[in-house]
Amino acid sequence: MGARQDWWDTSLLPEIFVPGRLQPTGQPFLSNAAVGRNDAPISWNAGVLYKLTPAVSPFFGVARSHLVNFSSEATQNGLAAPESALQYEGGVKANAFDDRLTVTAAGFAVTRNNVFALVGDVPVFNAQRTYGGEIDVDARPTPRWRITANATLQHATLTANPSNPAATGNWSQGVPATMAHLWTSYDFAVAGVEGFRIGAGLNYRDKMYGNLLNTTAIPSYVTADADISYTQGRWTVTVGAKNLSDTTYYVAANGVGAFVGDPFTVFGSVRFNLGG
């Protein structure tokens, strides 16, 4: 069980006056006139897991969360009440072959209220419901070879949209129907020196709608990543590459546009583990 108290003091100082653009209270935004709000939501979570057998453990959890709504780029509704969400999740975790295979499967249902969305440059707020399932697999075919994979299938709909009731029942903006990830790694030695690891994997995400009427969307994509690392004691050095095929893809829909994902990228890192 857990709980968190947030205190949000949010303020906005408009630099220009835009006729006809109002605060949630109905008052106009005036240039150089600060507006603000204070919120103190409590988020909480509770969960339980029961080990039926040494290899099978069902679990269930529920959580209430909040997200501050703020847009300094909006000329209307720049300050609004926080978003709230309630999530239920239940599933089972199972191990097999002396823990060389672990599978976790779960179903979930989430309701969200006062969700921020853009229509042009005007924020609107709606309610959504999402339900679906996910599965995670962690397999070790050999002591040196590891495979991890996960997939999520979900269905998201607008349950209320006061600014445009015709959109009620449509697919929620910015929510893909399917996501999946696959990664495999192999540990090996070079000239008798252990500590080397090579890995590669694929990422998939389904299309996402860019507006509440579902008339625009960003396409699905698949990207591939790879890296190689060397660990000696507490030190790990890694060199890798993201988006190996230099695929053009979009990570988020923004009402009338989209944010482009990273192109082919080479990276390096050095990590020191402070633990024992």
Side-chain angles (χ1 to χ4, degrees), residues 46-59:
V48 61
L49 179 146
Y50 186 78
K51 203 166 187 178
L52 282 178
T53 71
V56 178
S57 302
F59 58 87

Side-chain angles (χ1 to χ4, degrees), residues 51 54-57 93-104:
K51 203 166 187 178
V56 178
S57 302
K93 179 178 181 179
N95 302 318
F97 308 113
D98 295 325
D99 291 337
R100 288 189 292 126
L101 176 64
T102 301
V103 178
T104 304

Side-chain angles (χ1 to χ4, degrees), residues 50-211:
Y50 186 78
K51 203 166 187 178
L52 282 178
T53 71
V56 178
S57 302
F59 58 87
F60 176 79
V62 58
R64 166 73 74 180
S65 61
H66 298 85
L67 176 68
V68 67
N69 273 323
F70 175 71
S71 175
S72 62
E73 299 178 359
T75 56
Q76 182 162 316
N77 293 336
L79 295 171
E83 175 188 327
S84 63
L86 182 63
Q87 174 172 326
Y88 296 93
E89 182 170 6
V92 62
K93 179 178 181 179
N95 302 318
F97 308 113
D98 295 325
D99 291 337
R100 288 189 292 126
L101 176 64
T102 301
V103 178
T104 304
F108 58 86
V110 185
T111 56
R112 301 171 62 193
N113 294 294
N114 211 43
V115 182
F116 174 95
L118 280 175
V119 177
D121 66 343
V122 179
V124 297
F125 301 91
N126 57 71
Q128 304 178 6
R129 179 181 296 114
T130 302
Y131 61 88
E134 55 190 5
I135 185 169
D136 291 271
V137 178
D138 188 342
R140 295 179 180 269
T142 71
R144 293 179 177 268
W145 182 21
R146 183 178 184 180
I147 302 170
T148 59
N150 58 66
T152 301
L153 282 77
Q154 56 190 358
H155 187 273
T157 54
L158 296 173
T159 56
N161 188 47
S163 66
N164 188 345
T168 302
N170 286 356
W171 195 275
S172 300
Q173 178 181 347
V175 181
T178 308
M179 297 178 289
H181 173 75
L182 172 66
W183 184 263
T184 183
S185 62
Y186 189 80
D187 298 334
F188 63 99
V190 176
V193 178
E194 298 285 350
F196 290 90
R197 174 177 294 173
I198 188 170
L202 299 172
N203 299 286
Y204 169 78
R205 198 191 64 194
D206 208 347
K207 74 174 183 180
M208 295 195 306
Y209 286 109
N211 62 358

